[in-house]
């Protein structure tokens, strides 16, 4: 290791231990997600380390269910709860009647593996109650709205970049199309740097509205919102 460091500092030539410079990354040739663009807007080196160099922090096994883990669980449970929604049925009542079975099915979904902690069975009761209260909230779905999409995937051009993503829910309302994104937090999600040092520049909803909306529903009025499953209101 000492020899490597001496060579790196003193040798005029480069070897296998020196980094490569002068090779730009083409933004136009990449496919971006909203979260990746947000990460780039928060810290470019963090984005470069993760998405170009493939560097990941080694994670220790958590001692309890993380917000990311139950977030994935909640998203999948709500997707299943609104599956096979009959035409003209009340989406809220349909989801409430199915949410318990949907939560259990989400736990066993092989496409969404989850590490089960010892208190998992006890916590399921709390999670089920939280999901029920979220669905019962007046903010969950607007009056007269019908669910027309769940985990809808898209790949479109936006601001000269190829963007991709998955929309948690798409509703058709009397006013037009509404993109709904579920959040497990109770505050507005952090965005990219807005130029003043604050992480307030939201990219996810603009991409959903402008890219996915115009691609999936050309000519229609598109709106979007974040719905908190914790505080049961729009953020």
């Amino acid at each position: 290791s000492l020899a490597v460091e001496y060579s790196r500092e003193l040798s005029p030539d480069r070897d296998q231990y020196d980094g490569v410079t002068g090779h730009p990354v083409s933004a136009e040739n990449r496919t971006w997600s909203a979260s990746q663009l947000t990460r780039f807007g928060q810290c470019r080196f963090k984005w470069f380390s993760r998405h170009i160099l493939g560097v990941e922090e080694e994670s220790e096994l958590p001692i309890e269910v993380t917000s990311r883990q139950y977030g994935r669980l909640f998203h999948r449970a709500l997707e299943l709860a609104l599956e096979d929604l009959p035409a003209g049925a009340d989406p809220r009542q349909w989801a409430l009647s199915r949410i318990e079975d949907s939560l259990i099915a989400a736990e066993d979904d092989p496409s969404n593996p989850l590490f089960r902690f010892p208190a998992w069975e006890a916590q399921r009761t709390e999670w089920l109650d939280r999901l029920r209260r979220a669905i019962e909230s007046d903010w969950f779905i607007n009056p007269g709205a019908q669910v027309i999409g769940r985990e809808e995937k898209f790949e479109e051009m936006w601001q000269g970049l190829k963007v991709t993503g998955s929309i948690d829910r798409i509703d058709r309302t009397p006013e037009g199309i509404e993109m709904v994104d579920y959040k497990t937090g109770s505050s507005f999600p952090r965005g990219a740097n807005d130029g003043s040092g604050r992480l307030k520049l939201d990219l996810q909803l603009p991409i959903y509205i402008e890219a996915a909306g115009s691609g999936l529903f050309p000519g229609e009025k598109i709106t979007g919102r974040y719905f908190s499953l914790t505080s049961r209101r729009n953020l």
Side-chain angles (χ1 to χ4, degrees), residues 82 85-94 138-149 169-180 223 225:
L82 289 166
L85 180 65
D90 182 347
R92 190 191 314 277
Q93 296 305 317
W94 180 259
D138 291 339
W139 298 93
F140 180 71
I141 189 165
N142 291 320
Q146 287 297 315
V147 178
I148 60 172
R169 199 181 83 214
I170 302 177
D171 295 348
R172 181 174 291 282
T173 75
E175 289 74 34
I177 300 297
E178 183 175 63
M179 310 289 190
V180 182
T223 59
R225 63 186 172 98

Side-chain angles (χ1 to χ4, degrees), residues 54-100:
V55 176
E56 291 279 1
E57 290 185 33
E58 291 188 11
S59 58
E60 297 181 4
L61 186 65
I63 60 175
E64 61 183 9
V65 179
T66 63
S67 58
R68 181 179 180 182
Q69 187 173 25
Y70 73 68
R72 289 164 55 195
L73 178 66
F74 284 10
H75 277 69
R76 182 59 174 151
L78 287 169
E79 179 189 2
L80 294 173
L82 289 166
E83 192 174 36
D84 301 324
L85 180 65
D90 182 347
R92 190 191 314 277
Q93 296 305 317
W94 180 259
L96 284 172
S97 69
R98 294 163 51 92
I99 191 59
E100 184 171 3

Side-chain angles (χ1 to χ4, degrees), residues 190-206:
R190 291 199 314 167
N193 191 316
D194 65 0
S196 67
R198 299 177 302 172
L199 302 181
K200 297 288 188 180
L201 183 61
D202 183 47
L203 294 175
Q204 187 173 359
L205 283 184

Side-chain angles (χ1 to χ4, degrees), residues 25-32 36 47 51-52 161-163:
V25 176
S26 172
E28 292 80 6
N29 292 333
R30 294 185 60 82
T31 299
W32 299 79
Q36 188 181 158
W47 170 84
H51 295 281
I52 302 300
L161 300 174
K162 185 189 295 184
V163 293

Side-chain angles (χ1 to χ4, degrees), residues 36-47:
Q36 188 181 158
L37 278 172
T38 300
R39 190 174 293 114
F40 179 86
Q42 291 173 346
C43 176
R44 296 181 185 184
F45 182 74
K46 185 176 180 180
W47 170 84

